[in-house]
Amino acid sequence: MIAETQTHINYYGSEPGGEVTAREGKRKPTPRAEEARELYFESKSSVSMEFPYWYTRRWEQLEGEIPIIRRAEALKAGFEHMTPVIYPGELLVMGKAAYLRGSFPLPWLSEAFFMATEDKLYKEAEEAGKLTADSFTTMGTGGGNVIKSTGKVISIAGKFGIRVEEMPVMLEVARKWKDRSVDDVGHKYEQLVPGYKEKEALMRSVICMFDSGYTLPQGREVMNYYYPLQFGIDGIIQNCEDGIADVAGYPDMDRLYFYKAVILMLKGIKQWINNHAEEAQFLATIEKDENQKTEYLEMAERLAWISSKPPRSFHDALQMIWIFHVAVLNEDAISGLSPGRVGQVLYPYWKRDMANGVLNREKSIELLECMRIKFTEIDCFASMGVVGGVLSGNTFNNLCLGGLLKDGTSAANELEMLILEAGISCDTPQPTLSMLFDEKLPEEFLLKGIECTKIGTGYPAWVNNQVAMEFLLENYAHEGMNLEEARSWAIGGCLETSPGSWMPLEIDNEIHWIPGGSAPATSVGVHFLSLPKLLEVTLFDGMDMRTNQRIFPSHGYSLDSYEEIWQAFKVYFSRACHVLTLTNNIQHDAWRKISPSIINSMLKPDCLAKGKDIGQMGCRYNTTFNIESCGTTTFVNSLGSLKKNVFTEKNYTLDEYRKAILANFGYKTAQETGSYSLIDQVPTSDYQKWKKIHSQSLDAPKFGNDNPFVDGILKEWEEWFCEMAHNYRSLYDQPMYACQISVSTHGPMGAVTLASPDGRLSGTTFSDGSVSAYPGTDRNGPYALFNSATCWNHARSQNSQLNIKIHPSVVKGREGSRKFLEIIRAYLRKGGFHVQFNIVDSRMLKQAQDDPGKYRSLLVRVAGFTQYWVELGKQIQDEVISRTEYEEV
Amino acid sequence: MNAACKDCKFYLPVDVFRGMCKMSKEKINPDDPFCAKAEQMKKCKFCSNYQSEKDFLGKCMGTNLAYPDMIAGKCADFQWYKQN
């Protein structure tokens, strides 16, 4: 295409010569972890109906019961009846369902998307625009995805396999939730919002990607493991019984029901743990290998112990936090449930065991590698649009390292060094790692992080500790956030800054202040808004020209100046935020009434102390709803092109631009070519007609080159967006804030967007992240990109996101490591919030696309998460390949 | 009723396509026939409280929806079906 338009912009990036360069420093995991990972590689995403069956059965028996008690009883029944599964060699056990990559439908949240397409439920959801994003999402066709039905297995959403024996009961159970699920009840009431039809139009046009209230109502938050670690399950039950004695019969009776619900839940979890202890005992009886037999018996003893009491050792503690992590995951459809600063939470146990000779370095790494495998096994059952278009099959369990302690000194410790080591030796997508970069962190620790990043895992991502703290202090001060508390933060999900608290863990009569999440989901609300598509609709006066449907009434602006385009865009953007905020508030209200969080609430300060669940604002911090954008750089580049070509140089009229957009600048669409990046597009027979305007659009100034003309547009946008987001109020009557990560949505959102004024073609993927350059357009090197990206204050937003691709030769060796660290430092010192890297030769990615079978273990960084290449959809694969590859810095 | 590996108490499910024998650790197909060492696991279809109604669906104790292949290892009401 480049030759065709004869533009001097090199959209390919430069082509390195010679052999494809491998990544550096590949190490092998311990034999135990390697065996477990091989089993993972061989296994497919599988759905079980056990949990939803028992949940629904118990729910039906309790008609008329207090809702939160009914919910607790249903969850309890689900946990108690799950078949325990333990795989040979496991040191950490238990999972979401009775398969290695198991998950299950949660029809009490939403039931329509997994019905047959001819089913009435499915058709109703389609009509409401809930399934449009599904049809524009490409799922990965390799790895563990069950992409099509075969034999006795039926494929759901192109990812999950269910046995044919379980399919009829899945449909029967789903129908029982019709008009009773969060989705259906929320939908009934959201239609009462004035202008509701506009919301449906926004969903059908995929200007908005999905509703959060019934898709992923929890997640993008940080776990808090303090209560089970400190008190054990029996201790928490005792606390709740004491709570009941204090509140029964007094006003604010919801506290009574909450405590009772927690007790019920914990009894279900106890039984679930003990079922696994029994299974371990059983396996020991049939085991011939003495070592394995001993491990089963130790496992049985450990599980029996922690089903009641606080952990005694690092191994106990690691098993316990894993159990509670899974327990929360089974409470809702959840992505982005981050374990948080686990290396600091578990440090007191680890240090004691090391001092007592219970643990050594090798055993520690083996356990940490086993932890990586367990997190990697996590799947989330959701629609194709969600699991493919947003998550890319990942579930974003983010483990954070570094940052500061309560007293403001470096929080890095030896256990975190080993977590990095395990991340190098056992490179798996999860948990992804994030380095909370602070100038106080020791050089040795930072270089260990570099060692991990440069082997191509994509983790740790590098995140600015001070910028995050500034964001938290600005947005949570009215709820009591202070500097000390701000230091306890961590990333929830991909990249959502999440508030935390310091909790006093007492071990051997010594208090250790451990950090943990202290807020509910920090990324629910308006998700995601496609900025380029909204600009397109603005240019066409409220029409979606792809579907020829009206989205908004005419904006009434003549668009005869750049400022008029801005004003009209702001009007539409604000309209979208308004109606989507209100409808999402209703959905989340339905969620908290029908399907309240009990387990996660129990874990989060100060729900137990207040006797209130998350939905009743039991958490310490509740300002957690946001407005999430997608395609920022494509949008900014498009405005830059219009400003230059239409209004400054007057090369074209706006009408001429509209015609060029509709004609896709004389090219076939991405859907026609089957390729989603700009580099592989095919001209039509009349492309010559549009050649000049396309060339000048591509030549217009692009973000990422330290060019004030276009960077100024980004600055103006960010300052307006970060401020206007506060105008909207969440369900909890708190101001909302801006959130700027694309996850994978730039793929499907790009797929429904016509050509854009920056020269991008119809259906191709948007720029990723929020401050990444559009592929191939950042031609002045990373430092120019850093200047562009930091032209606005990142602390005004929950995040910003910058992806960079570097050729492995650039960071090779010790000198390369130091240079790499300096690059990162330079960006973060300028005020950048986040940067992450793909260290890869792009030719290897092309080879992997052509021959995926040879690249089962190849990892790439997408946008806040690392994923196996073969499990990514083609939209995202094409986008990652086309990203600019720096061969020198 | 033809019993398959997935009906055996030594069957360890890995995914919907295959599992593992808890005794031999060999990878097995869930639909493979019972071997000599196989023993039935508790499933609804082996329970006297289960009544089949149509393919892959039935009733538990005459009232609750149930399905034959559900593992009933943790069901308090499970009772082995006795053939006459």
Side-chain angles (χ1 to χ4, degrees), chain A residues 79 94-96 272 321-331:
Chain A
F79 281 109
M94 301 174 65
K96 288 188 70 174
W272 178 47
I321 68 167
W322 170 247
I323 289 170
F324 274 89
H325 202 93
V326 178
V328 174
L329 287 171
N330 277 7
E331 179 172 67

Side-chain angles (χ1 to χ4, degrees), chain A residues 140-141 145-162, chain B residues 16-17:
Chain A
T141 55
N145 296 334
V146 180
I147 58 171
K148 60 181 180 184
S149 302
T150 168
K152 294 189 174 178
V153 173
I154 293 167
S155 169
I156 304 172
K159 174 173 174 66
F160 306 98
I162 185 169
Chain B
V16 286
F17 294 99

Side-chain angles (χ1 to χ4, degrees), chain A residues 126-375:
Chain A
E126 198 174 33
E127 177 67 21
K130 295 174 183 176
L131 302 174
T132 316
D134 292 18
S135 54
F136 287 93
T137 295
T138 61
M139 285 294 299
T141 55
N145 296 334
V146 180
I147 58 171
K148 60 181 180 184
S149 302
T150 168
K152 294 189 174 178
V153 173
I154 293 167
S155 169
I156 304 172
K159 174 173 174 66
F160 306 98
I162 185 169
R163 295 279 307 180
V164 68
E165 307 92 272
E166 290 201 297
M167 193 67 186
V169 77
M170 186 183 81
L171 300 177
E172 285 299 312
V173 168
R175 286 193 188 99
K176 286 175 182 285
W177 288 95
K178 178 170 165 47
D179 298 330
R180 298 198 288 176
S181 66
V182 174
D183 183 356
D184 291 354
V185 173
H187 182 56
K188 184 168 137 190
Y189 291 103
E190 71 175 349
Q191 293 177 71
L192 302 178
V193 170
Y196 167 76
K197 284 292 171 191
E198 209 161 279
K199 185 250 177 175
E200 280 195 356
L202 287 164
M203 303 302 287
R204 274 198 297 270
S205 63
V206 199
I207 287 172
C208 179
M209 184 86 180
F210 72 97
D211 295 309
S212 58
Y214 57 85
T215 51
L216 301 166
Q218 296 198 74
R220 286 78 66 209
E221 61 186 287
V222 181
M223 286 286 287
N224 197 315
Y225 305 114
Y226 167 71
Y227 289 104
L229 291 175
Q230 181 66 65
F231 301 106
I233 292 176
D234 284 356
I236 305 173
I237 289 174
Q238 185 58 55
N239 286 347
C240 290
E241 284 172 350
D242 294 345
I244 287 173
D246 288 342
V247 303
Y250 290 95
D252 199 2
M253 207 73 73
D254 284 348
R255 295 175 297 167
L256 168 67
Y257 309 128
F258 175 65
Y259 288 133
K260 182 67 183 167
V262 171
I263 292 171
L264 286 165
M265 270 305 320
L266 288 175
K267 287 185 175 173
I269 290 173
K270 273 172 77 81
Q271 186 61 53
W272 178 47
I273 300 170
N274 280 318
N275 289 344
H276 282 79
E278 275 177 31
E279 175 69 5
Q281 284 280 4
F282 166 69
L283 290 171
T285 64
I286 59 171
E287 182 57 54
K288 296 184 179 66
D289 180 282
E290 282 304 316
N291 286 338
Q292 179 67 80
K293 186 177 192 139
T294 303
E295 285 184 6
Y296 283 143
L297 291 172
E298 287 172 353
M299 183 186 299
E301 192 278 334
R302 177 174 305 108
L303 291 170
W305 177 273
I306 61 177
S307 73
S308 302
K309 301 182 181 68
R312 303 154 294 184
S313 65
F314 176 70
H315 195 159
D316 281 5
L318 192 57
Q319 176 68 69
M320 181 169 241
I321 68 167
W322 170 247
I323 289 170
F324 274 89
H325 202 93
V326 178
V328 174
L329 287 171
N330 277 7
E331 179 172 67
D332 259 325
I334 294 181
S335 73
L337 190 69
S338 293
R341 292 158 71 169
V342 164
Q344 293 161 33
V345 171
L346 298 184
Y347 187 54
Y349 299 97
W350 180 82
K351 201 172 170 188
R352 185 177 63 180
D353 284 3
M354 289 292 281
N356 294 342
V358 176
L359 267 181
N360 57 30
R361 187 179 185 279
E362 288 67 34
K363 187 72 183 167
S364 303
I365 287 178
E366 188 179 51
L367 273 169
L368 293 169
E369 287 180 347
C370 289
M371 175 193 77
R372 294 200 62 79
I373 300 291
K374 293 308 284 181
F375 273 96

Side-chain angles (χ1 to χ4, degrees), chain A residues 14-205:
Chain A
S14 53
E15 280 282 353
E19 294 287 304
V20 173
T21 308
R23 288 161 163 174
E24 188 181 337
K26 195 82 177 162
R27 287 209 282 277
K28 290 184 80 171
T30 55
R32 185 192 299 272
E34 181 147 37
E35 202 168 313
R37 191 168 61 172
E38 281 306 312
L39 188 63
Y40 173 85
F41 281 152
E42 294 167 11
S43 66
K44 304 285 183 188
S45 290
S46 299
V47 168
S48 160
M49 274 304 292
E50 269 187 339
F51 197 100
Y53 170 83
W54 285 105
Y55 183 105
T56 304
R57 179 164 161 166
R58 185 69 180 134
W59 178 272
E60 287 191 313
Q61 289 166 350
L62 295 172
E63 183 79 42
E65 179 57 277
I66 300 288
I68 195 168
I69 301 295
R70 195 178 183 191
R71 161 90 164 143
E73 287 273 13
L75 284 166
K76 177 172 178 279
F79 281 109
E80 284 175 342
H81 289 91
M82 269 203 293
T83 300
V85 166
I86 297 170
Y87 296 99
E90 284 193 313
L91 291 178
L92 298 172
V93 291
M94 301 174 65
K96 288 188 70 174
Y99 291 116
L100 194 81
R101 297 183 67 170
S103 61
F104 52 83
L106 294 90
W108 46 94
L109 280 179
S110 178
E111 77 289 9
F113 74 88
F114 53 85
M115 306 300 288
T117 50
E118 62 272 15
D119 194 278
K120 190 166 170 275
L121 279 177
Y122 184 92
K123 286 189 187 305
E124 285 171 0
E126 198 174 33
E127 177 67 21
K130 295 174 183 176
L131 302 174
T132 316
D134 292 18
S135 54
F136 287 93
T137 295
T138 61
M139 285 294 299
T141 55
N145 296 334
V146 180
I147 58 171
K148 60 181 180 184
S149 302
T150 168
K152 294 189 174 178
V153 173
I154 293 167
S155 169
I156 304 172
K159 174 173 174 66
F160 306 98
I162 185 169
R163 295 279 307 180
V164 68
E165 307 92 272
E166 290 201 297
M167 193 67 186
V169 77
M170 186 183 81
L171 300 177
E172 285 299 312
V173 168
R175 286 193 188 99
K176 286 175 182 285
W177 288 95
K178 178 170 165 47
D179 298 330
R180 298 198 288 176
S181 66
V182 174
D183 183 356
D184 291 354
V185 173
H187 182 56
K188 184 168 137 190
Y189 291 103
E190 71 175 349
Q191 293 177 71
L192 302 178
V193 170
Y196 167 76
K197 284 292 171 191
E198 209 161 279
K199 185 250 177 175
E200 280 195 356
L202 287 164
M203 303 302 287
R204 274 198 297 270
S205 63

